[in-house]
Amino acid sequence: MYLLAFIGACVLVAMVPGVSTAIILRQTLRAGRGSGMAATLGNETGIFLWALAAAFGLSALLLASQLAYDVMRVAGAGVLLYMGAQSLWQARKRRRDEAAPELAEPVAVDGWRRSYLAGLGTCLANPKAAVFAMSFLPQFVPQGQNVPLTLVALAVIWVLVDTLWYGLVIWMVARAKAVLSRPSVRRRLEQISGVVLIGLGVRLVLEAR
């Protein structure tokens, strides 16, 4: 019963839009399903590492150190602000290219490695992911079970559920490719993703623990 409850909770957590969703959608819209899945795998690698840290008590060190928490918070915000500014720049470039198509330059798309690192980096640089892993996973450890081993098993399930959910999201975005690939729509989506990422970065800077 506890396992079904945990899977249900993982589905609900995955469905809540956040930094991970913004990054994965951004990479999917910019470079297709492959880059979206690469960003997903990077994000899930980060989640699994934070879950392992929670399982072995390493996250407690982060929670105990205000300086470490703040450094990670500012670093994570910096990554989000950079990616948001990059999206806004791409949107501006698309508008210029639409106005003068004969001057348009080929748009460089993100490779799988870059997308993977984008997903991994934003997850690892987000201290709230560590806090969440440490508070979320232990609730579902049955009494009398080996705590570290059970937490690792729950982390694997969490990652699988997350991957399936984001895979579905990427598939739906790909199905709407005919509409989303229009230059004006892609430009608008770049603008929206840029504003969202910058907003998340600013919130991360301003939020106290």
Side-chain angles (χ1 to χ4, degrees):
M1 183 64 69
Y2 82 92
L3 188 56
L4 291 177
F6 177 70
I7 293 174
C10 288
V11 172
L12 293 176
V13 168
M15 293 175 67
V16 176
V19 175
S20 299
T21 305
I23 296 299
I24 290 167
L25 288 178
R26 173 184 181 270
Q27 297 306 115
T28 302
L29 291 169
R30 294 187 71 182
R33 285 184 293 181
S35 289
M37 284 306 302
T40 299
L41 293 177
N43 180 72
E44 299 313 314
T45 300
I47 286 179
F48 187 67
L49 291 175
W50 279 129
L52 289 181
F56 295 101
L58 301 178
S59 295
L61 299 177
L62 174 63
L63 295 176
S65 173
Q66 182 66 46
L67 177 61
Y69 184 93
D70 287 341
V71 168
M72 286 194 62
R73 180 168 56 85
V74 173
V79 172
L80 292 174
L81 291 172
Y82 169 76
M83 297 184 76
Q86 190 180 51
S87 289
L88 292 178
W89 172 254
Q90 285 294 333
R92 182 179 179 182
K93 187 177 180 181
R94 288 182 189 280
R95 171 176 286 181
R96 184 196 66 189
D97 292 345
E98 290 169 23
E102 68 280 1
L103 300 178
E105 302 174 358
V107 178
V109 297
D110 294 339
W112 284 31
R113 181 181 178 183
R114 188 172 180 181
S115 295
Y116 176 85
L117 292 176
L120 176 63
T122 51
C123 185
L124 291 182
N126 184 5
K128 289 188 176 298
V131 174
F132 184 77
M134 195 165 183
S135 60
F136 177 59
L137 292 175
Q139 301 177 48
F140 297 93
V141 177
Q143 190 172 4
Q145 296 294 318
N146 182 302
V147 175
L149 186 60
T150 304
L151 286 175
V152 171
L154 292 176
V156 172
I157 295 172
W158 184 12
V159 165
L160 290 175
V161 171
D162 246 22
T163 303
L164 289 173
W165 168 255
Y166 286 124
L168 177 61
V169 171
I170 291 169
W171 178 81
M172 289 189 295
V173 171
R175 292 286 292 178
K177 185 177 179 180
V179 174
L180 298 177
S181 61
R182 295 174 184 171
S184 59
V185 175
R186 293 196 66 175
R187 174 166 51 83
R188 185 64 64 188
L189 289 172
E190 286 277 15
Q191 290 173 335
I192 293 172
S193 66
V195 170
V196 169
L197 289 171
I198 289 174
L200 290 170
V202 171
R203 189 182 71 173
L204 194 56
V205 169
L206 297 178
E207 278 185 348
R209 178 157 54 166

